[in-house]
Amino acid sequence: MAGRANIPTNNSALIAIIADEDTVTGFLLAGVGNVDLRKKTNYLIVDNKTTVKQIEDAFKEFTAREDIAIVLISQYVANMIRFLVDGYNKPVPAILEIPSKDHPYDPAHDSVLSRVKYLFSAESVASDRR
């Protein structure tokens, strides 16, 4: 099918995560972690020493990797690089904003939710014109 994104089918699609230490640790304990032969990981632990540039670089790296199908990012971290998250429009890897222990989820800042709301409002306007 034309225009459809290719997801690796040899069971090698990974989940990447950019979040605080507790969140990343939970996902690592669940088996999400991966370190390849070049010592590249599929996660970034964000703490008070992590720079915005490091977060931007990790986001760009994870979204460019062909072996990653989903990027989970804590919403408060996504707010630090909101211009990158909102500007990302590819279907794979999918970007999902998640809450963290210290920062509650705010649906007003979720880029996926805002896109869905936009699509449904545009759809309802189009159906009203019929």
Side-chain angles (χ1 to χ4, degrees):
M1 300 192 129
R4 178 168 267 185
N6 291 329
I7 299 175
T9 57
N10 59 355
N11 297 329
S12 65
L14 300 173
I15 297 174
I17 183 159
I18 304 172
D20 60 279
E21 185 174 15
D22 290 341
T23 304
V24 171
T25 300
F27 279 97
L28 292 179
L29 289 171
V32 170
N34 183 60
V35 180
D36 66 11
L37 296 174
R38 296 168 295 168
K39 306 268 190 217
K40 288 285 194 182
T41 62
N42 64 328
Y43 58 89
L44 174 68
I45 297 173
V46 178
D47 58 16
N48 57 1
K49 298 176 196 159
T50 308
T51 65
V52 173
K53 173 97 170 84
Q54 290 173 310
I55 297 168
E56 289 174 3
D57 291 345
F59 182 84
K60 289 175 184 175
E61 176 190 340
F62 294 156
T63 55
R65 284 176 52 177
E66 293 183 8
D67 62 337
I68 293 180
I70 299 171
V71 176
L72 300 175
I73 184 167
S74 287
Q75 191 176 51
Y76 84 96
V77 176
N79 287 337
M80 294 181 201
I81 59 167
R82 179 58 57 197
F83 66 98
L84 281 176
V85 174
D86 288 347
Y88 184 81
N89 60 4
K90 296 179 184 173
V92 178
I95 308 300
L96 299 175
E97 295 180 31
I98 60 173
S100 66
K101 183 172 73 172
D102 298 327
H103 300 87
Y105 174 76
D106 182 5
H109 290 128
D110 191 330
S111 61
V112 173
L113 189 58
S114 64
R115 288 179 188 173
V116 169
K117 284 181 181 178
Y118 173 77
L119 288 173
F120 279 115
S121 66
E123 185 176 287
S124 65
V125 168
S127 66
D128 289 342
R129 291 182 184 169
R130 291 181 188 168

